[in-house]
PDB file of all heavy atoms in Angstrom:
ATOM      1  N   SER A 114      36.419 -14.093  -5.908  1.00 96.00           N
ATOM      2  CA  SER A 114      37.173 -14.191  -4.663  1.00 96.00           C
ATOM      3  C   SER A 114      37.208 -12.844  -3.955  1.00 96.00           C
ATOM      4  O   SER A 114      37.201 -11.784  -4.596  1.00 96.00           O
ATOM      5  CB  SER A 114      38.615 -14.629  -4.938  1.00 96.00           C
ATOM      6  OG  SER A 114      38.682 -15.954  -5.383  1.00 96.00           O
ATOM      7  N   LEU A 115      37.252 -12.882  -2.635  1.00 96.00           N
ATOM      8  CA  LEU A 115      37.488 -11.670  -1.857  1.00 96.00           C
ATOM      9  C   LEU A 115      38.889 -11.160  -2.149  1.00 96.00           C
ATOM     10  O   LEU A 115      39.861 -11.931  -2.140  1.00 96.00           O
ATOM     11  CB  LEU A 115      37.345 -11.989  -0.372  1.00 96.00           C
ATOM     12  CG  LEU A 115      37.401 -10.809   0.601  1.00 96.00           C
ATOM     13  CD1 LEU A 115      36.192  -9.898   0.425  1.00 96.00           C
ATOM     14  CD2 LEU A 115      37.472 -11.315   2.043  1.00 96.00           C
ATOM     15  N   SER A 116      39.003  -9.866  -2.424  1.00 96.00           N
ATOM     16  CA  SER A 116      40.318  -9.294  -2.717  1.00 96.00           C
ATOM     17  C   SER A 116      41.254  -9.461  -1.523  1.00 96.00           C
ATOM     18  O   SER A 116      40.850  -9.185  -0.382  1.00 96.00           O
ATOM     19  CB  SER A 116      40.183  -7.811  -3.054  1.00 96.00           C
ATOM     20  OG  SER A 116      41.457  -7.192  -3.111  1.00 96.00           O
ATOM     21  N   PRO A 117      42.503  -9.898  -1.744  1.00 97.00           N
ATOM     22  CA  PRO A 117      43.441 -10.041  -0.625  1.00 97.00           C
ATOM     23  C   PRO A 117      44.060  -8.721  -0.189  1.00 97.00           C
ATOM     24  O   PRO A 117      44.826  -8.687   0.777  1.00 97.00           O
ATOM     25  CB  PRO A 117      44.499 -10.982  -1.198  1.00 97.00           C
ATOM     26  CG  PRO A 117      44.506 -10.690  -2.663  1.00 97.00           C
ATOM     27  CD  PRO A 117      43.074 -10.371  -3.022  1.00 97.00           C
ATOM     28  N   ASN A 118      43.732  -7.633  -0.860  1.00 97.00           N
ATOM     29  CA  ASN A 118      44.323  -6.336  -0.558  1.00 97.00           C
ATOM     30  C   ASN A 118      43.504  -5.579   0.489  1.00 97.00           C
ATOM     31  O   ASN A 118      42.361  -5.941   0.784  1.00 97.00           O
ATOM     32  CB  ASN A 118      44.422  -5.495  -1.834  1.00 97.00           C
ATOM     33  CG  ASN A 118      45.203  -6.195  -2.916  1.00 97.00           C
ATOM     34  OD1 ASN A 118      46.223  -6.836  -2.645  1.00 97.00           O
ATOM     35  ND2 ASN A 118      44.735  -6.096  -4.154  1.00 97.00           N
ATOM     36  N   PHE A 119      44.079  -4.525   1.035  1.00 97.00           N
ATOM     37  CA  PHE A 119      43.359  -3.655   1.963  1.00 97.00           C
ATOM     38  C   PHE A 119      42.108  -3.109   1.272  1.00 97.00           C
ATOM     39  O   PHE A 119      42.165  -2.679   0.104  1.00 97.00           O
ATOM     40  CB  PHE A 119      44.259  -2.507   2.413  1.00 97.00           C
ATOM     41  CG  PHE A 119      43.536  -1.468   3.240  1.00 97.00           C
ATOM     42  CD1 PHE A 119      43.480  -1.578   4.622  1.00 97.00           C
ATOM     43  CD2 PHE A 119      42.900  -0.390   2.630  1.00 97.00           C
ATOM     44  CE1 PHE A 119      42.809  -0.633   5.383  1.00 97.00           C
ATOM     45  CE2 PHE A 119      42.229   0.558   3.384  1.00 97.00           C
ATOM     46  CZ  PHE A 119      42.187   0.439   4.762  1.00 97.00           C
ATOM     47  N   GLU A 120      40.984  -3.093   1.993  1.00 97.00           N
ATOM     48  CA  GLU A 120      39.748  -2.539   1.449  1.00 97.00           C
ATOM     49  C   GLU A 120      38.962  -1.835   2.543  1.00 97.00           C
ATOM     50  O   GLU A 120      39.020  -2.232   3.711  1.00 97.00           O
ATOM     51  CB  GLU A 120      38.860  -3.635   0.858  1.00 97.00           C
ATOM     52  CG  GLU A 120      39.291  -4.174  -0.473  1.00 97.00           C
ATOM     53  CD  GLU A 120      38.241  -5.132  -1.030  1.00 97.00           C
ATOM     54  OE1 GLU A 120      38.080  -6.231  -0.457  1.00 97.00           O
ATOM     55  OE2 GLU A 120      37.572  -4.774  -2.029  1.00 97.00           O
ATOM     56  N   HIS A 121      38.211  -0.828   2.114  1.00 97.00           N
ATOM     57  CA  HIS A 121      37.288  -0.121   3.006  1.00 97.00           C
ATOM     58  C   HIS A 121      35.881  -0.258   2.462  1.00 97.00           C
ATOM     59  O   HIS A 121      35.659  -0.206   1.241  1.00 97.00           O
ATOM     60  CB  HIS A 121      37.659   1.364   3.101  1.00 97.00           C
ATOM     61  CG  HIS A 121      36.638   2.178   3.836  1.00 97.00           C
ATOM     62  ND1 HIS A 121      35.869   3.149   3.228  1.00 97.00           N
ATOM     63  CD2 HIS A 121      36.243   2.156   5.136  1.00 97.00           C
ATOM     64  CE1 HIS A 121      35.055   3.695   4.113  1.00 97.00           C
ATOM     65  NE2 HIS A 121      35.254   3.115   5.269  1.00 97.00           N
ATOM     66  N   SER A 122      34.918  -0.462   3.344  1.00 96.00           N
ATOM     67  CA  SER A 122      33.523  -0.623   2.959  1.00 96.00           C
ATOM     68  C   SER A 122      32.652   0.263   3.842  1.00 96.00           C
ATOM     69  O   SER A 122      33.012   0.553   4.984  1.00 96.00           O
ATOM     70  CB  SER A 122      33.110  -2.094   3.119  1.00 96.00           C
ATOM     71  OG  SER A 122      31.713  -2.262   2.984  1.00 96.00           O
ATOM     72  N   PHE A 123      31.497   0.683   3.309  1.00 96.00           N
ATOM     73  CA  PHE A 123      30.559   1.438   4.134  1.00 96.00           C
ATOM     74  C   PHE A 123      29.138   1.176   3.675  1.00 96.00           C
ATOM     75  O   PHE A 123      28.886   0.790   2.531  1.00 96.00           O
ATOM     76  CB  PHE A 123      30.850   2.941   4.091  1.00 96.00           C
ATOM     77  CG  PHE A 123      30.590   3.591   2.749  1.00 96.00           C
ATOM     78  CD1 PHE A 123      29.302   3.969   2.369  1.00 96.00           C
ATOM     79  CD2 PHE A 123      31.634   3.837   1.870  1.00 96.00           C
ATOM     80  CE1 PHE A 123      29.064   4.568   1.147  1.00 96.00           C
ATOM     81  CE2 PHE A 123      31.396   4.426   0.630  1.00 96.00           C
ATOM     82  CZ  PHE A 123      30.111   4.793   0.272  1.00 96.00           C
ATOM     83  N   THR A 124      28.198   1.406   4.585  1.00 96.00           N
ATOM     84  CA  THR A 124      26.781   1.494   4.254  1.00 96.00           C
ATOM     85  C   THR A 124      26.168   2.630   5.055  1.00 96.00           C
ATOM     86  O   THR A 124      26.581   2.901   6.187  1.00 96.00           O
ATOM     87  CB  THR A 124      26.004   0.201   4.586  1.00 96.00           C
ATOM     88  OG1 THR A 124      26.160  -0.092   5.982  1.00 96.00           O
ATOM     89  CG2 THR A 124      26.481  -0.973   3.757  1.00 96.00           C
ATOM     90  N   GLY A 125      25.192   3.273   4.466  1.00 96.00           N
ATOM     91  CA  GLY A 125      24.382   4.252   5.166  1.00 96.00           C
ATOM     92  C   GLY A 125      22.922   4.007   4.849  1.00 96.00           C
ATOM     93  O   GLY A 125      22.564   3.821   3.679  1.00 96.00           O
ATOM     94  N   THR A 126      22.087   3.958   5.874  1.00 96.00           N
ATOM     95  CA  THR A 126      20.651   3.779   5.660  1.00 96.00           C
ATOM     96  C   THR A 126      19.875   4.808   6.465  1.00 96.00           C
ATOM     97  O   THR A 126      20.281   5.191   7.569  1.00 96.00           O
ATOM     98  CB  THR A 126      20.175   2.370   6.071  1.00 96.00           C
ATOM     99  OG1 THR A 126      20.483   2.138   7.452  1.00 96.00           O
ATOM    100  CG2 THR A 126      20.826   1.296   5.222  1.00 96.00           C
ATOM    101  N   ALA A 127      18.770   5.246   5.902  1.00 96.00           N
ATOM    102  CA  ALA A 127      17.818   6.115   6.591  1.00 96.00           C
ATOM    103  C   ALA A 127      16.430   5.547   6.346  1.00 96.00           C
ATOM    104  O   ALA A 127      16.075   5.253   5.199  1.00 96.00           O
ATOM    105  CB  ALA A 127      17.913   7.546   6.074  1.00 96.00           C
ATOM    106  N   THR A 128      15.655   5.379   7.408  1.00 96.00           N
ATOM    107  CA  THR A 128      14.368   4.693   7.309  1.00 96.00           C
ATOM    108  C   THR A 128      13.295   5.473   8.063  1.00 96.00           C
ATOM    109  O   THR A 128      13.555   5.987   9.156  1.00 96.00           O
ATOM    110  CB  THR A 128      14.463   3.269   7.912  1.00 96.00           C
ATOM    111  OG1 THR A 128      15.623   2.613   7.423  1.00 96.00           O
ATOM    112  CG2 THR A 128      13.239   2.451   7.557  1.00 96.00           C
ATOM    113  N   ILE A 129      12.117   5.561   7.476  1.00 97.00           N
ATOM    114  CA  ILE A 129      10.942   6.129   8.133  1.00 97.00           C
ATOM    115  C   ILE A 129       9.894   5.025   8.252  1.00 97.00           C
ATOM    116  O   ILE A 129       9.542   4.374   7.264  1.00 97.00           O
ATOM    117  CB  ILE A 129      10.349   7.306   7.340  1.00 97.00           C
ATOM    118  CG1 ILE A 129      11.385   8.428   7.174  1.00 97.00           C
ATOM    119  CG2 ILE A 129       9.099   7.844   8.036  1.00 97.00           C
ATOM    120  CD1 ILE A 129      11.814   9.081   8.463  1.00 97.00           C
TER     121      ILE A 129
END
Side-chain angles (χ1 to χ4, degrees):
S114 291
L115 187 67
S116 170
N118 304 320
F119 173 91
E120 284 187 291
H121 172 247
S122 170
F123 68 81
T124 58
T126 58
T128 313
I129 301 296

